[in-house]
Amino acid sequence: MRKSARRLAARYRALPGRRSRLKHFDPGDTAGLDIAKKKAQKLLESGIARLAELQDMLYAQDRWGVLVLFQAPDAAGKDSTIKHVMSGVNPQGVEVSSFKQPTSEELDHDYLWRSVKRLPERGRIGIFNRSYYEEVLVVRVHPNVLHAEKLPGELVSKKIWEERYEDINAFERYLSRNGYRILKFYLHVSRAEQKKRFLERLEVPEKNWKYSIDDVRERARWKDYQNAYDDMIRRTSTSWAPWHVIPADHKWFTRLTVAATIIDALEGLNLQYPRVDARRRRELAKARRELERE
């Protein structure tokens, strides 16, 4: 299990620096797997079971915090991936935060402020459904959003994106040096598959609620977003917080690969249940004798 998880994780890891581009990853790739839906579900269930075991040890050990970030175009499957992959994990050890348009309070702080407030405690997994990376994506594609952030005019220069990449890298390095394992997933969906899913949202009544007119407006900026994603991945995929570009045209494969990558990361933390010292063992033995005498 661990070897296969490691292979999948390595296959879609964006190399640090400028060597990885989105064009190097195929949204429809399945790593050569051609399996039925039921087989894929069984494999996912096996991965979820292992993930639950590792999460239990993470919680008991109480040393590491795990931060999992998801970024993707609309309809790439972030919500469903989080739902399926984390379905078997103890809810006490996981918290999902979805970051939408900043509130007036959040705009009165730096852009990392609201994310820092949602960082997971040690022993827990924190999932960011979108994140501070929106600041080099949506804000970059829509400059009017930047104007609403109340930055002093002299700080809004042509170098602002370079500066934000630098700040984000430093922030993630700080977290990694303080016991956080950071996993960043970009769900790489093709434009054709996105169109197919948008049409499904329009045609299937039970999915109408998912559709927003903004989806079409943002789709019109597809090329701008792809350029922003490409730059983001190249500039912020580091050895301490690498990006994983996950093929997203086949949802079953997306879920398997995300689960495998999280498992591989947790396996690498040397997780174990806390050992009981001699004094504690004597206390437990005494407690057992007292219970048996009842």
Side-chain angles (χ1 to χ4, degrees):
M1 176 69 180
R2 186 176 182 183
K3 288 184 179 180
S4 59
R6 183 174 296 171
R7 284 196 297 269
L8 274 179
R11 183 182 181 94
Y12 301 110
R13 184 178 299 119
L15 298 174
R18 301 186 177 219
R19 290 171 288 174
S20 291
R21 303 288 300 272
L22 284 183
K23 66 181 181 181
H24 297 152
F25 299 92
D26 178 7
D29 187 27
T30 60
L33 289 177
D34 184 14
I35 56 179
K37 186 175 181 179
K38 287 186 178 180
K39 176 65 173 177
Q41 183 59 35
K42 287 183 179 179
L43 286 174
L44 182 59
E45 288 173 358
S46 176
I48 290 171
R50 180 55 181 158
L51 183 56
E53 293 173 357
L54 291 165
Q55 187 271 332
D56 196 51
M57 286 188 281
L58 175 77
Y59 186 83
Q61 190 182 62
D62 197 26
R63 288 292 182 272
W64 290 93
V66 178
L67 179 61
V68 183
L69 285 74
F70 286 91
Q71 294 290 158
D74 293 321
K78 296 189 307 303
D79 293 349
S80 63
T81 297
I82 294 169
K83 175 183 176 181
H84 284 80
V85 172
M86 307 308 295
S87 62
V89 177
N90 187 338
Q92 288 185 316
V94 179
E95 184 176 11
V96 180
S97 300
S98 296
F99 294 97
K100 301 185 184 298
Q101 184 175 343
T103 65
S104 57
E105 180 186 21
E106 290 166 348
L107 288 172
D108 275 333
H109 294 80
D110 64 276
Y111 68 84
L112 286 173
W113 179 76
R114 64 176 183 167
S115 298
V116 172
K117 290 176 63 180
R118 306 301 296 177
L119 288 173
E121 300 174 18
R122 296 189 191 280
R124 290 171 170 78
I125 299 173
I127 299 176
F128 284 4
N129 186 343
R130 300 193 187 278
S131 67
Y132 43 84
Y133 279 100
E134 294 293 286
E135 294 295 325
V136 292
L137 294 170
V138 173
V139 179
R140 185 169 186 173
V141 174
H142 297 283
N144 59 300
V145 178
L146 182 61
H147 297 155
E149 293 188 348
K150 303 181 181 180
L151 285 172
E154 58 268 28
L155 298 182
V156 183
S157 69
K158 293 181 179 180
K159 295 182 179 180
I160 189 168
W161 311 120
E162 298 291 327
E163 292 167 351
R164 288 194 170 185
Y165 294 141
E166 181 182 342
D167 291 339
I168 288 171
N169 287 338
F171 173 63
E172 291 176 345
R173 183 148 202 169
Y174 166 79
L175 292 179
S176 70
R177 287 172 170 169
N178 281 273
Y180 280 90
R181 182 69 171 88
I182 304 169
L183 293 168
K184 302 185 298 194
F185 294 108
Y186 171 69
L187 303 192
H188 191 25
V189 69
S190 67
R191 197 164 193 259
E193 180 62 22
Q194 186 194 58
K195 178 181 178 179
K196 177 183 173 183
R197 294 179 187 179
F198 279 171
L199 288 173
E200 186 178 10
R201 290 179 179 183
L202 291 169
E203 294 165 0
V204 179
E206 292 78 12
K207 294 187 177 183
N208 286 170
W209 66 273
K210 292 184 177 182
Y211 189 79
S212 168
I213 191 61
D214 290 336
D215 294 341
V216 174
R217 293 171 181 163
E218 293 299 271
R219 180 176 166 81
R221 306 295 296 271
W222 177 270
K223 186 175 180 180
D224 294 334
Y225 272 108
Q226 290 297 295
N227 289 337
Y229 284 125
D230 202 37
D231 206 26
M232 172 195 77
I233 290 167
R234 286 187 294 112
R235 301 305 303 274
T236 62
S237 193
T238 60
S239 59
W240 56 89
W243 277 101
H244 292 82
V245 181
I246 308 297
D249 278 7
H250 302 284
K251 291 183 179 181
W252 63 269
F253 186 72
T254 303
R255 296 161 188 170
L256 281 177
T257 308
V258 167
T261 305
I262 297 175
I263 289 169
D264 178 60
L266 292 179
E267 294 275 15
L269 297 182
N270 191 30
L271 301 174
Q272 53 189 305
Y273 291 105
R275 296 185 178 182
V276 178
D277 59 22
R279 178 181 177 182
R280 181 61 175 162
R281 286 196 295 271
R282 290 194 295 270
E283 292 175 350
L284 295 175
K286 180 180 178 181
R288 177 170 182 160
R289 289 193 297 271
E290 290 177 356
L291 285 170
E292 290 174 341
R293 284 198 296 266
E294 288 185 359

